Amino acid sequence: MTLTDVLLILATAVSPLIAVQVTRFLDDRNEERDRKLKVFKTLMATRAYSLSAAHVEALNSIDLEFTTKRRLEKSVLDVWQQYLDHLGDKAMEPGAWNIRRIDLLVDLLYAMGKALGYDFNKTQIKNGTYSPGAHGRIEAEQARIREMTVELLEGRRFLPMYVTNLTQASSESQSEE
């Protein structure tokens, strides 16, 4: 048996293993990218609703899905850290805090878009959302209902009650006598 025969047999035996390993590598890489895309797409879709559970869950997934080993992903993590620090800042005046929050969220989405190959500019990210006014009104009403319910249950608010048809009720009781 010649060296060529041995190499041919070895190549025939090893090539399926190499093919499987390459396939696994590509599948893992695609799955990793899909998870990053899911985080990005969720944040983009919910950027006008920063209190939604999906938005908060996606934010909390950033550290899990992005790595410091790649330059563009490291910039995502750096901006995420700034945003997270700001979210915990209770010292700022609410109006200024919210403006800064929006700017940092836009910076985060911009960095994520760059890392994932999207070409959005910051103006598109900031202004490219649709949020019906009714949604804001409904959220405000639901928040007010929750506040008032808690106040009622804690005894800080009273439920007003009015007696109506008092004359009818007293005439019915007199006729029963």
Side-chain angles (χ1 to χ4, degrees), residues 2-174:
T2 66
L3 180 60
T4 306
D5 293 336
V6 171
L7 290 175
L8 185 60
I9 292 169
L10 187 62
T12 304
V14 174
S15 60
L17 295 173
I18 293 171
V20 168
Q21 291 303 317
V22 168
T23 301
R24 285 188 60 198
F25 170 77
L26 293 174
D27 288 347
D28 289 347
R29 192 178 71 180
N30 288 338
E31 184 180 322
E32 181 180 314
R33 179 168 169 71
D34 288 346
R35 289 192 314 266
K36 290 173 188 172
L37 281 171
K38 182 180 181 205
V39 170
F40 177 66
K41 287 178 178 182
T42 300
L43 290 174
M44 284 293 285
T46 60
R47 65 191 185 268
Y49 303 102
S50 60
L51 294 179
S52 77
H55 188 84
V56 173
E57 183 178 327
L59 285 174
N60 287 321
S61 298
I62 293 171
D63 286 324
L64 297 171
E65 302 303 338
F66 291 82
T67 180
T68 58
K69 295 176 184 172
R70 295 183 187 101
R71 182 181 55 82
L72 289 175
E73 289 188 28
K74 183 181 180 326
S75 68
V76 169
L77 292 172
D78 291 343
V79 177
W80 162 231
Q81 191 59 56
Q82 291 174 3
Y83 186 48
L84 181 60
D85 288 346
H86 179 72
L87 291 175
D89 183 2
K90 306 291 185 226
M92 284 182 84
E93 183 270 322
W97 183 89
N98 195 48
I99 290 169
R100 177 78 175 135
R101 181 195 65 77
I102 292 169
D103 289 342
L104 286 170
L105 177 60
V106 168
D107 290 346
L108 175 63
L109 293 172
Y110 180 78
M112 289 176 84
K114 286 292 180 204
L116 294 168
Y118 285 91
D119 190 26
F120 292 114
N121 64 48
K122 290 184 179 184
T123 303
Q124 283 175 296
I125 294 170
K126 186 173 185 176
N127 299 329
T129 62
Y130 172 66
S131 176
H135 284 184
R137 189 182 73 250
I138 290 168
E139 283 185 16
E141 289 169 353
Q142 288 173 341
R144 184 73 179 131
I145 289 168
R146 285 191 302 270
E147 286 174 24
M148 293 176 82
T149 301
V150 168
E151 289 172 2
L152 181 67
L153 294 172
E154 291 176 342
R156 294 183 289 128
R157 177 173 292 280
F158 300 99
L159 191 61
M161 300 182 116
Y162 303 99
V163 177
T164 59
N165 297 329
L166 186 60
T167 55
Q168 183 181 17
S170 63
S171 62
E172 285 177 8
S173 65
Q174 288 175 355

